Amino acid sequence: SAKVAHAHPACGNGVAWWLEMRTPARSAIFDEGAVDLGKTASVEPTALRVSPGDQIVLAIDARDRNHVCDLTQIEMKVTQLGDAEQIWDLAADLVNSIHDGNPHADSLGNAKVWSIAEGPSEKRPRQLLAAGPLTRAWSQWRSAAADPQRHEEATRHAERIQGLLMLAQNSAGDLGDAPLRKRLLTLGGPLLRGIDLERLVGKRQEASNFGMPAAAFGQTSDVPQARPEDLVTPLGEIVELQLPAMLLREMPFVVDAVVVGGELPVARVELLAETPAANTSWDGSGPLLVNATAENSMEKINAGFAEFRQCFPTFICFPQVIPTDEVVCLKTFHREDEPLKRLFLSAAEAKEIDRLWEEHRFISHFPTTENEYLPLFIGFVTQDQTQETLKFFEGFREPFGERAAEFEAEFANAAPPQLTQLYAFAARAYRRPLTERERAALDALYRTLRARPMPHDEAFRGVLARVFISPSFLMHVERTVAGKSPIEVDDWELASRLSYFLWSSQPDDELRGLAAAGRLHDSEVLAAQARRMLRDERVRALAIEFGTQWIHVRGFDQLDEKNEKLFPEFDASLRQAIYEESILFFQHLFQENRPPTDILAADYAFLNERLAQHYGVPQVQGDQWRRVDGVRAFGRGGILGLASVHAKQAGASRTSPVLRGNWVAETLLGEKLPLPPPNVPQLPEAENGNDGLTMRALVEKHVRAAECAVCHVRIDPLGFALERYDPIGRRREFDLGGLPLDTTAQLRDGTRFAGIEGLREYLLTTKRKTVLGVFCRRLLGYALARETTLSDTLLIDQMVEQLNSDEGRLGDAVRLIVLSPQFRSIRGADYEDAGFEELAQ
């Protein structure tokens, strides 16, 4: 089997090809064809009998014996059938060694198997064919038929010839028989010469499907001038005719057609070997028949073609967008979109494309460039011409010069407005109005660059670069004062604090407008802006930068540390889906102003089909994300049900009750645990092959060491409750060693619970205020971009009290933060306060 593809659609006229088999006795082409620009030809699998020393040749030739720059992609595969199947693949064998020598070895260890040759197309082989079975049988019959004593032998050969003639031709073993077959099956050949076809057809007229009834021929009421042998048919009809293929093989079938009558007497006639599909349309390749005697027929046809051609642009440009030779190609750019505008674009779209061309003209400076090219162009095209030609081209100098001068004046007049826009952009980049000193400094830089001299556009880019490296753009620069007393941030600073808190980005137009009006310090306005921004899709940034960082899964999609043999399904798409669920969950909490208990108790999750299959949640189809309720029945819901948490707090090949328990203790309960002592024995890296011990049993055995028990008794029970989740976050009943799992837990104070539901209930009841306090402290620290301190205790307590009430919502915590003195003021440079972590130490 093989494939031939024209690999360079932009150039050439296609390629020709043939597939050939060569043996010591013969050479035969068993498939050939031509490939149009950018098209592909595939050779269907062909069965051949190949002997040692035979060659199979895939030849590439110039189409029509001419070419420009055609490139060809070829593929070829030879498969040995039978018990010992082997495959020779051209691409697999040669792709890395095509330049190493010729001939090439194959990948099976055989030398001199592949050869790459070249030569003129005249060397295409002739059909030098050895005798096939039909030719041999014919020769044997002629020899036997000449001897009356060999009558029975001659009869056997004749029956053999009859059977071979009835077989489909062009089979692999019939290549040498083509000339004889054609000769024998021709009506004038030695076999069929003298047969009376009329008599034969007459005898079988009633039972035969060949030909057409006589009533279909002759004159009709619409065409009275038709002759008896004429077949008259309306336009648009298909006439089917069956002919005896064996008798008419290799003979031409000719139809003469004329068009008569009709308002516009034009038609196309096709002769096909099969009935065409009902919706077959004209491909434009065949001729059209026109009744030239009808009134204005040709004029109407030509007018229709002319109208149709108006739908397509005339190709007059150099193929490249920018000419490679400005001397020959004077016009740098040329518009060819008039048919596009006229036929397809609305008025607004046409106006937009005109605007884009104006921008392109302004940026490319091509009026000036073309005026600079003009003298060289005139000298080139008139060097061997008459004075009249020179005078003609000299007439271009004045209009080209005027157009260039107009453009240069326009370009110069545009500089001041562009600088004004640049200073406005700098104000947006700095997230506040420019001071007079800053504006003057940028303006001075521009003038210095222009005086070097430097073109306007380069000087403009230099000033823009200065804006981007300014500390006012790269950092949140706020005013500060000496001493310990705080001062209020101004409206612009407050807008940046709010925007980077909720969106991790600069303030939008509405925030900037309120800051410019001095209204953002109004508590009602500030609270309303916080509510608006929480409802916006851009709150996704808060979900990523705060939510996923708080639970330590930020960038989970890049976690590729799992054992690929044990967890081959943990690929990039699954990691992305697991991470996206975590983001969408926190985005939903803030955007929909959910109660704080949803952080742990939510009975919903955000799933697509891939993640639902990972979780075992049925009836979720498609790549789109959607909220799915009732997921606690499948061990999901809240941050405790996120696969990102379970997978992140696990090893490469096993779970880790220690990591998961430590995550619960530090992330949800805010406990600060010391680092493990040195030289602590390491747990096994796999869950199986541990003398029948589960990971829980191994951890409990490990904890018997006194130096380890101090911390492990605090964290391990919390991790045991989550042992039903494997290292990539799937629920399970047995560990990787096939051992049953025990998720019961007993804390130091005697509290007992089991599994994720028991841990969830413990955190929502016994530790509810603790969890809320940790959440509020983390959220406040993120909003203030600093560690929370002792002076923040009152605000944190207010947030916890509000969230702990029946009406508490996460938006209330955000509102308390943005209205707090901590958020709306900045401390003095000498202020000192102890942080919670420092107090804990």
Side-chain angles (χ1 to χ4, degrees), residues 9-74:
C11 189
N13 63 345
V15 295
W17 62 273
W18 70 87
L19 204 57
E20 174 189 353
M21 180 174 175
R22 297 178 182 176
T23 72
R26 64 175 181 162
S27 174
I29 295 175
F30 56 90
D31 206 350
E32 61 183 326
V35 182
D36 292 331
L37 291 178
K39 303 297 184 180
T40 300
S42 295
V43 181
E44 296 296 328
T46 303
L48 301 173
R49 183 178 297 278
V50 182
S51 301
D54 293 351
Q55 290 182 334
I56 300 173
V57 179
L58 176 59
I60 306 300
D61 198 2
R63 183 174 182 176
D64 303 328
R65 298 300 175 99
N66 62 76
H67 64 91
V68 180
C69 53
D70 297 292
L71 300 177
T72 311
Q73 173 189 347
I74 61 174

Side-chain angles (χ1 to χ4, degrees), residues 10 37 336 339 346 363 371 464 548 582 585 799 823:
L37 291 178
E336 290 185 326
S346 65
I363 295 171
N371 188 53
L464 184 61
T548 63
S582 306
F585 177 70
M799 295 168 63
F823 193 78

Side-chain angles (χ1 to χ4, degrees), residues 500 504 540-556 579 582-583 586 644-645 648-649 663 666-667 778-779 782:
Y500 281 92
S504 297
R540 176 183 173 90
L542 180 64
I544 297 173
E545 303 301 336
F546 167 71
T548 63
Q549 285 201 76
W550 172 45
I551 62 173
H552 305 293
V553 298
R554 175 76 162 88
F556 180 85
Y579 187 38
S582 306
I583 297 171
F586 278 105
S644 59
V645 170
K648 187 67 181 293
Q649 307 303 325
W663 177 85
E666 291 193 342
T667 304
R778 300 296 186 226
L779 183 62
Y782 175 79

Side-chain angles (χ1 to χ4, degrees), residues 264-265 290-302:
L264 183 60
V290 180
N291 185 355
T293 62
E295 183 179 0
N296 299 327
S297 58
M298 290 304 299
E299 290 80 0
K300 293 179 180 179
I301 292 293
N302 289 330

Side-chain angles (χ1 to χ4, degrees), residues 38-214:
K39 303 297 184 180
T40 300
S42 295
V43 181
E44 296 296 328
T46 303
L48 301 173
R49 183 178 297 278
V50 182
S51 301
D54 293 351
Q55 290 182 334
I56 300 173
V57 179
L58 176 59
I60 306 300
D61 198 2
R63 183 174 182 176
D64 303 328
R65 298 300 175 99
N66 62 76
H67 64 91
V68 180
C69 53
D70 297 292
L71 300 177
T72 311
Q73 173 189 347
I74 61 174
E75 297 179 12
M76 183 175 177
K77 184 179 291 186
V78 180
T79 302
Q80 176 178 298
L81 304 178
D83 295 334
E85 179 177 302
Q86 298 186 80
I87 297 177
W88 290 265
D89 189 338
L90 177 67
D93 283 357
L94 298 191
V95 68
N96 293 323
S97 62
I98 193 168
H99 296 294
D100 290 352
N102 207 14
H104 299 260
D106 64 12
S107 58
L108 303 176
N110 303 307
K112 299 182 179 181
V113 172
W114 295 100
S115 295
I116 301 175
E118 63 176 353
S121 57
E122 286 76 8
K123 288 189 177 181
R124 174 173 174 171
R126 295 172 296 166
Q127 297 282 40
L128 304 176
L129 304 178
L134 177 61
T135 303
R136 290 193 296 271
W138 176 261
S139 176
Q140 292 165 350
W141 172 80
R142 292 187 62 183
S143 174
D147 185 353
Q149 302 298 324
R150 299 170 63 187
H151 175 72
E152 293 184 2
E153 181 184 351
T155 301
R156 290 197 305 272
H157 291 314
E159 293 173 349
R160 172 68 173 159
I161 292 171
Q162 177 179 339
L164 291 171
L165 287 174
M166 296 179 66
L167 290 174
Q169 63 176 336
N170 295 328
S171 62
D174 195 26
L175 293 172
D177 295 326
L180 178 62
R181 176 188 290 273
K182 181 177 180 179
R183 179 185 173 201
L184 294 178
L185 294 181
T186 301
L187 288 176
L191 186 63
L192 302 179
R193 184 189 307 121
I195 294 180
D196 187 349
L197 293 179
E198 292 186 3
R199 180 183 175 189
L200 180 64
V201 171
K203 289 182 177 180
R204 302 182 59 191
Q205 184 88 25
E206 296 181 358
S208 174
N209 292 323
F210 295 136
M212 297 181 64

